[in-house]
Amino acid sequence: MPPNFIASQDFAKPSLPRHSTNGSKRSRASSAHSPNVRLSIIEEDAAPGPRMPPRAHHRPFHRRWNLGDPPRSSFESPPPKYSVWDTMGPKGEKLSDVRNNKHIARRGGWRRICLILLILLTLIVGLAVGLSIGLRKKESTTPASSSQPADAPSTSASPAAFPAGSYTLTTYLSTVRTDCVSQAADWSCYPYHTFTESPSEAIANFTWVITSSSSSNFAISSTSNPWSVEFPSTPLQKINEDTEEEHYHFTTTFDKTTIPSRGIQCQFNDTLLEGSLYTRKARNYPSPSPADPPSSSSADKFQPWPYAIDVRQTIGGGQNTPQCFRMQQAGGLGDRITEGLTPKGQDEECSCEYKNFGS
């Protein structure tokens, strides 16, 4: 009878490693076929196996980390030649094919293409430089363009807002009438010389401001000037519209003061002031002088009125026309003077007339 290899305890099976997966699979297979058979105990050798020597520290870096061999090169031989014309395109073509293209060669070659690119670049640079210089000139000329000539309305009095603005009205003293007083010296008109007496000494300036509350409502007022007439804001009325005599007219009253002689002051209360500011009628005084340099004073904000002007001061005679007083040395007014003053009728007038045309 053949010996029982499975049940024999004297049979020594070849030992497998403890962690061998093949041994586990075989044990499970034999157990599955012979569930009632008990395997013999396999003892391993208690002696440990040989240790693996450590990696040498002087090994090359690429060998230590299994990176493969580096490319072999030598400093004695130069690197291979490289040209941009050998670069491959997306479809496998080389730039040398483009360089040697018959169509490009027939059109003038790369020289012509470079020349065209150079011209385009020059045009772009020239356009950029021209735009920058033009913008700088525009910015530098903007303040100068806002200034108006002598015969044009100011910036504040643009055509849409005309006649709103600040103006200097240059006139001459045309006529003086003294019918309302018994002594002609009691009534006087600045600058105390008519145009007939002295054209150069007859000049009189008024600095007035015209404001607007709407496109058709305007008002005029004076500025503080001891040598001119002062009056509050007064409405302007447009007369003779759309004709050559079109003008803005205003009427107000003020207290006129004169000094007929030293130490005496006369007052003409409620003197009538009326003015006509024409919008089409031409002026001819003062005569424009190209040789006169432009002024740089603070009065430049008042632009000259570009058309004709007519300003009048009038008052009729009466019991209190005028009222004259002695002036005190410490200032103020003293006693009233009535001696030599004979009242005149209300239809007898005193007047001062100023204008800038008809000279």
Side-chain angles (χ1 to χ4, degrees):
M1 182 178 181
N4 192 348
F5 293 94
I6 299 175
S8 175
Q9 298 180 359
D10 298 333
F11 180 79
K13 275 188 176 183
S15 62
L16 294 176
R18 181 175 297 178
H19 300 287
S20 173
T21 56
N22 294 332
S24 299
K25 291 180 180 180
R26 290 178 181 178
S27 299
R28 292 172 185 163
S30 59
S31 298
H33 293 286
S34 302
N36 297 325
V37 177
R38 183 178 180 181
L39 298 179
S40 60
I41 298 175
I42 300 174
E43 295 182 358
E44 294 183 355
D45 190 2
R51 296 181 59 185
M52 182 177 293
R55 294 178 182 269
H57 294 285
H58 60 275
R59 298 177 69 189
F61 183 82
H62 65 278
R63 297 289 301 277
R64 188 185 304 177
W65 299 101
N66 297 326
L67 297 179
D69 294 336
R72 299 181 178 276
S73 61
S74 174
F75 64 90
E76 296 179 354
S77 59
K81 294 183 178 180
Y82 172 80
S83 175
V84 69
W85 301 107
D86 297 332
T87 304
M88 302 293 291
K91 295 183 179 180
E93 73 279 5
K94 294 185 178 181
L95 289 180
S96 57
D97 299 337
V98 179
R99 180 184 61 181
N100 301 324
N101 187 281
K102 294 182 180 180
H103 181 74
I104 295 177
R106 186 168 58 252
R107 293 292 182 179
W110 284 100
R111 294 182 180 179
R112 184 172 182 178
I113 293 178
C114 293
L115 180 61
I116 294 174
L117 293 177
L118 181 62
I119 293 174
L120 291 177
L121 181 62
T122 305
L123 290 176
I124 294 173
V125 173
L127 181 61
V129 173
L131 288 175
S132 62
I133 295 176
L135 291 175
R136 290 179 183 177
K137 287 185 177 180
K138 183 177 180 181
E139 293 176 356
S140 62
T141 56
T142 299
S145 63
S146 63
S147 60
Q148 299 286 344
D151 292 335
S154 65
T155 304
S156 60
S158 59
F162 184 78
S166 301
Y167 299 98
T168 297
L169 295 86
T170 302
T171 64
Y172 63 88
L173 179 58
S174 175
T175 58
V176 178
R177 294 177 59 185
T178 59
D179 297 341
C180 69
V181 292
S182 56
Q183 298 183 18
D186 292 342
W187 176 266
S188 61
C189 302
Y190 177 83
Y192 317 114
H193 295 278
T194 64
F195 183 82
T196 303
E197 296 171 348
S198 176
S200 61
E201 296 179 329
I203 187 170
N205 291 323
F206 302 95
T207 52
W208 293 343
V209 178
I210 300 177
T211 57
S212 140
S213 58
S214 67
S215 59
S216 58
N217 295 325
F218 299 93
I220 189 169
S221 60
S222 66
T223 59
S224 179
N225 187 347
W227 303 105
S228 182
V229 181
E230 296 186 18
F231 59 93
S233 180
T234 304
L236 285 171
Q237 181 183 4
K238 197 172 188 180
I239 299 176
N240 297 329
E241 188 172 359
D242 297 330
T243 67
E244 291 298 324
E245 295 295 321
E246 179 183 274
H247 63 278
Y248 287 92
H249 183 80
F250 72 94
T251 302
T252 186
T253 58
F254 72 103
D255 296 336
K256 182 179 177 68
T257 301
T258 63
I259 301 177
S261 62
R262 184 176 182 180
I264 297 177
Q265 177 177 304
C266 294
Q267 296 178 350
F268 294 83
N269 296 328
D270 296 329
T271 299
L272 181 66
L273 173 66
E274 55 182 340
S276 297
L277 285 72
Y278 293 87
T279 58
R280 300 187 181 186
K281 190 173 183 178
R283 64 178 178 87
N284 59 3
Y285 181 89
S287 300
S289 177
D292 293 340
S295 174
S296 60
S297 63
S298 59
D300 288 345
K301 63 181 180 179
F302 290 91
Q303 299 295 322
W305 181 261
Y307 304 105
I309 309 163
D310 188 4
V311 180
R312 293 186 180 185
Q313 305 172 15
T314 58
I315 189 172
Q319 187 65 35
N320 293 319
T321 304
Q323 297 180 18
C324 296
F325 302 88
R326 298 187 185 277
M327 301 175 63
Q328 298 178 353
Q329 294 182 354
L333 300 178
D335 298 334
R336 180 175 177 178
I337 301 174
T338 58
E339 183 180 357
L341 298 179
T342 303
K344 295 293 187 78
Q346 293 184 356
D347 56 343
E348 298 182 90
E349 291 184 346
C350 294
S351 65
C352 304
E353 184 176 0
Y354 303 87
K355 58 183 180 180
N356 65 350
F357 61 95
S359 57

